Amino acid sequence: MTQTSYNSLAKRIIPCLDVKDGMTVKGTHFVNLRQAGDPVALGKAYSDAGADELVFLDITATVEGRKTFADMVSRVAQQINIPFTVGGGINTIDDVERLLNAGADKISVNSAAIRHPELIDEIAARFGSQVCVCAIDARHDADGWFCYVKGGRERTERPLLDWAKEAADRGAGEILFTSMDHDGVKNGFACEQLAVLADNLSIPVIASGGAGKKEHFLEAFTVGKADAALAASVFHFGEIEIPELKQYLREQGVNVRC
Protein backbone atom coordinates (compact mmCIF):
# COMPACT_ATOMS: atom_id res chain seq x y z
CA MET A 1 0.00 0.00 0.00
CA THR A 2 1.33 3.42 -0.89
CA GLN A 3 1.49 6.17 1.66
CA THR A 4 -0.94 8.42 -0.15
CA SER A 5 -3.65 5.76 -0.22
CA TYR A 6 -4.06 5.83 3.55
CA ASN A 7 -3.18 9.46 4.12
CA SER A 8 -6.42 11.15 3.07
CA LEU A 9 -8.87 10.90 5.98
CA ALA A 10 -7.60 11.25 9.53
CA LYS A 11 -7.36 7.93 11.35
CA ARG A 12 -8.85 7.76 14.82
CA ILE A 13 -7.37 6.44 18.06
CA ILE A 14 -10.07 5.16 20.42
CA PRO A 15 -9.55 3.95 23.99
CA CYS A 16 -12.17 1.44 25.12
CA LEU A 17 -13.50 1.19 28.66
CA ASP A 18 -14.84 -2.31 29.32
CA VAL A 19 -16.90 -1.84 32.47
CA LYS A 20 -18.07 -4.50 34.93
CA ASP A 21 -19.58 -3.74 38.34
CA GLY A 22 -18.73 -0.06 37.99
CA MET A 23 -15.01 -0.56 37.30
CA THR A 24 -12.96 -0.67 34.12
CA VAL A 25 -11.64 -4.18 33.51
CA LYS A 26 -9.55 -5.91 30.87
CA GLY A 27 -8.99 -9.57 30.09
CA THR A 28 -7.62 -11.94 27.48
CA HIS A 29 -9.88 -13.67 24.94
CA PHE A 30 -12.83 -12.05 26.79
CA VAL A 31 -12.01 -13.81 30.11
CA ASN A 32 -9.59 -13.51 33.07
CA LEU A 33 -10.63 -9.95 33.81
CA ARG A 34 -8.54 -7.63 35.97
CA GLN A 35 -9.39 -4.17 37.21
CA ALA A 36 -7.98 -1.15 35.39
CA GLY A 37 -9.46 1.83 37.20
CA ASP A 38 -12.40 4.18 37.54
CA PRO A 39 -14.12 4.73 34.17
CA VAL A 40 -14.95 8.37 34.84
CA ALA A 41 -11.35 9.26 35.71
CA LEU A 42 -9.98 7.22 32.80
CA GLY A 43 -12.40 8.80 30.36
CA LYS A 44 -11.34 12.29 31.38
CA ALA A 45 -7.66 11.36 31.19
CA TYR A 46 -8.05 10.00 27.66
CA SER A 47 -10.02 13.02 26.51
CA ASP A 48 -7.32 15.31 27.91
CA ALA A 49 -4.56 13.19 26.30
CA GLY A 50 -5.90 13.63 22.78
CA ALA A 51 -7.98 10.52 22.17
CA ASP A 52 -10.27 11.02 19.19
CA GLU A 53 -13.23 9.16 20.63
CA LEU A 54 -14.13 7.04 23.65
CA VAL A 55 -15.99 3.73 23.75
CA PHE A 56 -17.74 2.52 26.91
CA LEU A 57 -18.93 -1.10 26.96
CA ASP A 58 -20.90 -2.58 29.82
CA ILE A 59 -19.51 -6.03 29.06
CA THR A 60 -21.84 -8.16 31.18
CA ALA A 61 -25.10 -6.27 30.68
CA THR A 62 -26.37 -8.67 28.01
CA VAL A 63 -25.36 -11.81 29.90
CA GLU A 64 -26.83 -10.55 33.16
CA GLY A 65 -29.97 -9.29 31.43
CA ARG A 66 -29.79 -5.72 32.69
CA LYS A 67 -29.45 -2.25 31.27
CA THR A 68 -26.28 -0.23 30.85
CA PHE A 69 -25.79 2.16 33.75
CA ALA A 70 -27.08 5.47 32.43
CA ASP A 71 -25.83 7.35 35.48
CA MET A 72 -22.25 6.31 34.85
CA VAL A 73 -22.61 7.23 31.18
CA SER A 74 -23.76 10.67 32.28
CA ARG A 75 -20.82 11.09 34.65
CA VAL A 76 -18.33 10.12 31.95
CA ALA A 77 -19.98 12.39 29.37
CA GLN A 78 -19.67 15.37 31.70
CA GLN A 79 -15.90 14.91 31.89
CA ILE A 80 -15.02 14.54 28.21
CA ASN A 81 -15.18 16.67 25.06
CA ILE A 82 -14.82 13.95 22.41
CA PRO A 83 -17.40 11.67 20.74
CA PHE A 84 -18.62 9.00 23.13
CA THR A 85 -19.94 5.57 22.09
CA VAL A 86 -21.83 3.38 24.57
CA GLY A 87 -22.75 -0.29 24.29
CA GLY A 88 -23.93 -3.23 26.35
CA GLY A 89 -27.46 -4.44 27.05
CA ILE A 90 -29.05 -2.24 24.38
CA ASN A 91 -32.09 -4.03 23.01
CA THR A 92 -34.68 -1.40 22.14
CA ILE A 93 -35.09 2.09 20.75
CA ASP A 94 -35.98 3.21 24.27
CA ASP A 95 -32.56 1.99 25.47
CA VAL A 96 -30.91 4.01 22.72
CA GLU A 97 -32.84 7.15 23.56
CA ARG A 98 -32.09 6.81 27.27
CA LEU A 99 -28.34 6.59 26.67
CA LEU A 100 -28.29 9.42 24.13
CA ASN A 101 -30.11 11.55 26.67
CA ALA A 102 -27.51 10.56 29.26
CA GLY A 103 -24.74 11.95 27.07
CA ALA A 104 -23.74 9.28 24.57
CA ASP A 105 -23.08 10.41 20.99
CA LYS A 106 -23.24 6.96 19.43
CA ILE A 107 -24.72 3.61 20.42
CA SER A 108 -23.01 0.27 19.90
CA VAL A 109 -25.24 -2.75 19.33
CA ASN A 110 -23.98 -6.30 19.11
CA SER A 111 -25.95 -9.33 20.37
CA ALA A 112 -29.33 -7.62 20.10
CA ALA A 113 -28.66 -6.62 16.48
CA ILE A 114 -27.85 -10.17 15.47
CA ARG A 115 -31.00 -11.45 17.20
CA HIS A 116 -33.15 -8.64 15.81
CA PRO A 117 -31.41 -7.06 12.78
CA GLU A 118 -34.29 -4.62 12.30
CA LEU A 119 -33.00 -2.79 15.40
CA ILE A 120 -30.29 -1.30 13.17
CA ASP A 121 -32.92 -0.05 10.71
CA GLU A 122 -34.89 1.50 13.55
CA ILE A 123 -31.89 3.29 15.08
CA ALA A 124 -30.76 4.63 11.72
CA ALA A 125 -34.25 5.78 10.79
CA ARG A 126 -34.91 7.56 14.06
CA PHE A 127 -31.51 8.95 15.02
CA GLY A 128 -29.38 8.70 11.84
CA SER A 129 -26.78 6.19 10.72
CA GLN A 130 -24.01 8.17 12.44
CA VAL A 131 -25.48 7.15 15.82
CA CYS A 132 -25.43 3.39 15.11
CA VAL A 133 -22.19 1.44 15.55
CA CYS A 134 -22.54 -2.28 14.88
CA ALA A 135 -20.05 -4.12 17.07
CA ILE A 136 -19.10 -7.59 15.88
CA ASP A 137 -17.19 -10.10 18.00
CA ALA A 138 -15.86 -12.83 15.72
CA ARG A 139 -13.51 -15.78 15.87
CA HIS A 140 -11.68 -17.66 13.14
CA ASP A 141 -13.02 -21.18 13.58
CA ALA A 142 -12.15 -24.22 11.49
CA ASP A 143 -14.98 -23.38 9.09
CA GLY A 144 -14.21 -19.65 8.79
CA TRP A 145 -14.88 -16.37 10.58
CA PHE A 146 -18.13 -16.48 12.55
CA CYS A 147 -19.90 -14.00 14.81
CA TYR A 148 -20.30 -14.58 18.54
CA VAL A 149 -22.80 -13.05 20.97
CA LYS A 150 -23.29 -12.71 24.73
CA GLY A 151 -19.81 -11.31 25.32
CA GLY A 152 -18.17 -13.93 23.12
CA ARG A 153 -19.80 -16.84 24.93
CA GLU A 154 -22.08 -18.12 22.19
CA ARG A 155 -21.35 -18.78 18.53
CA THR A 156 -23.89 -17.89 15.86
CA GLU A 157 -24.07 -19.24 12.34
CA ARG A 158 -23.61 -15.77 10.90
CA PRO A 159 -20.39 -15.47 8.87
CA LEU A 160 -18.52 -12.28 9.76
CA LEU A 161 -18.49 -10.67 6.31
CA ASP A 162 -22.12 -11.54 5.57
CA TRP A 163 -23.32 -9.97 8.79
CA ALA A 164 -21.12 -6.90 8.40
CA LYS A 165 -22.55 -6.32 4.92
CA GLU A 166 -26.12 -6.74 6.16
CA ALA A 167 -25.51 -4.34 9.05
CA ALA A 168 -24.15 -1.74 6.66
CA ASP A 169 -27.08 -2.22 4.29
CA ARG A 170 -29.52 -1.78 7.18
CA GLY A 171 -28.02 1.57 8.09
CA ALA A 172 -25.16 1.05 10.54
CA GLY A 173 -22.73 3.96 10.38
CA GLU A 174 -19.64 2.01 11.41
CA ILE A 175 -18.48 -1.55 12.06
CA LEU A 176 -16.50 -2.20 15.24
CA PHE A 177 -14.78 -5.52 14.59
CA THR A 178 -13.16 -7.34 17.50
CA SER A 179 -11.17 -10.47 16.76
CA MET A 180 -11.67 -12.72 19.77
CA ASP A 181 -8.53 -14.66 18.80
CA HIS A 182 -6.45 -11.49 19.10
CA ASP A 183 -8.18 -9.90 22.11
CA GLY A 184 -5.75 -9.11 24.93
CA VAL A 185 -2.88 -11.10 23.41
CA LYS A 186 -1.05 -7.95 22.20
CA ASN A 187 0.35 -9.60 19.07
CA GLY A 188 -1.36 -7.27 16.64
CA PHE A 189 -4.78 -6.79 15.08
CA ALA A 190 -6.45 -9.21 12.66
CA CYS A 191 -5.19 -7.16 9.74
CA GLU A 192 -5.95 -9.64 6.97
CA GLN A 193 -9.60 -9.86 7.96
CA LEU A 194 -9.78 -6.13 8.60
CA ALA A 195 -8.70 -5.55 5.00
CA VAL A 196 -11.39 -7.93 3.76
CA LEU A 197 -14.01 -5.92 5.63
CA ALA A 198 -12.61 -2.58 4.46
CA ASP A 199 -12.56 -3.74 0.84
CA ASN A 200 -16.17 -4.94 0.97
CA LEU A 201 -17.87 -2.23 3.02
CA SER A 202 -18.67 1.39 2.24
CA ILE A 203 -18.72 2.44 5.91
CA PRO A 204 -15.79 2.90 8.32
CA VAL A 205 -14.26 -0.12 10.04
CA ILE A 206 -12.86 0.13 13.57
CA ALA A 207 -10.13 -2.37 14.46
CA SER A 208 -10.29 -3.94 17.91
CA GLY A 209 -8.40 -6.73 19.63
CA GLY A 210 -4.65 -7.22 19.65
CA ALA A 211 -2.89 -3.90 20.20
CA GLY A 212 0.41 -4.38 22.01
CA LYS A 213 2.76 -1.78 20.54
CA LYS A 214 2.69 1.28 18.34
CA GLU A 215 3.58 -0.70 15.23
CA HIS A 216 0.35 -2.66 15.56
CA PHE A 217 -1.68 0.52 15.08
CA LEU A 218 0.34 1.35 11.97
CA GLU A 219 -0.38 -2.14 10.59
CA ALA A 220 -4.10 -1.76 11.31
CA PHE A 221 -4.21 1.45 9.28
CA THR A 222 -1.99 0.33 6.43
CA VAL A 223 -2.27 -3.44 6.02
CA GLY A 224 -5.72 -3.66 7.61
CA LYS A 225 -7.05 -0.49 5.96
CA ALA A 226 -8.95 0.36 9.15
CA ASP A 227 -10.44 3.81 9.66
CA ALA A 228 -9.90 3.73 13.42
CA ALA A 229 -8.11 1.55 15.96
CA LEU A 230 -9.47 0.76 19.39
CA ALA A 231 -7.46 -0.51 22.34
CA ALA A 232 -7.80 -0.94 26.09
CA SER A 233 -5.06 -2.43 28.24
CA VAL A 234 -2.10 -0.76 26.50
CA PHE A 235 -3.70 2.58 27.34
CA HIS A 236 -5.11 1.66 30.76
CA PHE A 237 -1.79 0.37 32.10
CA GLY A 238 0.38 3.08 30.56
CA GLU A 239 2.16 0.88 28.03
CA ILE A 240 1.39 3.30 25.19
CA GLU A 241 0.72 7.01 25.65
CA ILE A 242 -1.70 8.50 23.13
CA PRO A 243 0.39 11.62 22.29
CA GLU A 244 3.44 9.43 21.61
CA LEU A 245 1.38 7.04 19.50
CA LYS A 246 0.02 9.86 17.38
CA GLN A 247 3.48 11.33 16.90
CA TYR A 248 4.79 7.95 15.80
CA LEU A 249 1.95 7.49 13.32
CA ARG A 250 2.51 10.97 11.87
CA GLU A 251 6.20 10.15 11.40
CA GLN A 252 5.11 7.05 9.47
CA GLY A 253 2.95 9.11 7.15
CA VAL A 254 -0.43 8.33 8.71
CA ASN A 255 -2.83 11.26 8.96
CA VAL A 256 -4.00 11.53 12.56
CA ARG A 257 -5.61 14.42 14.38
CA CYS A 258 -3.51 16.52 16.74
Side-chain angles (χ1 to χ4, degrees):
M1 170 175 277
T2 62
Q3 191 175 96
T4 54
S5 61
Y6 61 82
N7 200 34
S8 52
L9 295 176
K11 305 298 186 180
R12 291 169 286 150
I13 302 298
I14 307 176
C16 179
L17 305 181
D18 293 330
V19 177
K20 181 178 187 292
D21 300 327
M23 290 297 291
T24 307
V25 296
K26 186 55 191 156
T28 304
H29 301 312
F30 287 34
V31 296
N32 301 323
L33 302 177
R34 58 175 174 154
Q35 289 198 354
D38 173 57
V40 180
L42 279 172
K44 183 179 188 308
Y46 291 139
S47 179
D48 293 345
D52 298 302
E53 298 186 17
L54 185 70
V55 170
F56 175 110
L57 299 176
D58 190 339
I59 60 172
T60 57
T62 298
V63 176
E64 296 173 2
R66 58 177 171 74
K67 306 299 187 183
T68 304
F69 292 125
D71 60 337
M72 184 177 291
V73 170
S74 180
R75 287 189 287 126
V76 173
Q78 289 168 13
Q79 297 294 324
I80 65 176
N81 57 6
I82 53 177
F84 183 26
T85 300
V86 177
I90 297 167
N91 297 293
T92 68
I93 282 290
D94 287 344
D95 293 337
V96 174
E97 188 161 31
R98 178 170 49 88
L99 291 168
L100 292 176
N101 288 338
D105 299 290
K106 304 178 189 179
I107 298 302
S108 171
V109 289
N110 189 334
S111 299
I114 286 183
R115 289 194 303 268
H116 305 291
E118 62 275 8
L119 178 62
I120 296 175
D121 304 73
E122 294 171 6
I123 296 171
R126 182 157 174 184
F127 302 107
S129 290
Q130 77 283 354
V131 165
C132 185
V133 178
C134 183
I136 303 176
D137 300 329
R139 172 175 282 155
H140 190 205
D141 295 329
D143 50 348
W145 281 92
F146 281 85
C147 301
Y148 281 69
V149 294
K150 296 184 178 177
R153 293 167 176 81
E154 183 179 303
R155 171 175 152 145
T156 74
E157 292 311 306
R158 300 299 302 263
L160 168 60
L161 182 57
D162 289 357
W163 171 234
K165 284 181 175 179
E166 179 177 339
D169 289 344
R170 286 181 176 274
E174 296 179 278
I175 297 294
L176 168 53
F177 162 52
T178 300
S179 167
M180 296 172 59
D181 302 303
H182 294 72
D183 177 69
V185 182
K186 300 184 181 179
N187 287 331
F189 295 93
C191 291
E192 183 176 337
Q193 193 59 30
L194 278 167
V196 170
L197 291 172
D199 286 341
N200 284 275
L201 300 174
S202 59
I203 60 175
V205 176
I206 304 169
S208 170
K213 55 186 181 179
K214 291 179 283 190
E215 289 80 2
H216 293 153
F217 289 86
L218 177 64
E219 292 167 359
F221 293 138
T222 55
V223 180
K225 306 179 185 179
D227 297 276
L230 176 149
S233 60
V234 292
F235 296 142
H236 299 339
F237 302 115
E239 297 164 39
I240 297 177
E241 299 292 339
I242 291 173
E244 295 175 9
L245 172 59
K246 287 193 165 187
Q247 179 60 32
Y248 164 77
L249 291 169
R250 278 191 289 268
E251 290 171 354
Q252 301 301 313
V254 178
N255 182 15
V256 292
R257 299 185 180 106
C258 297

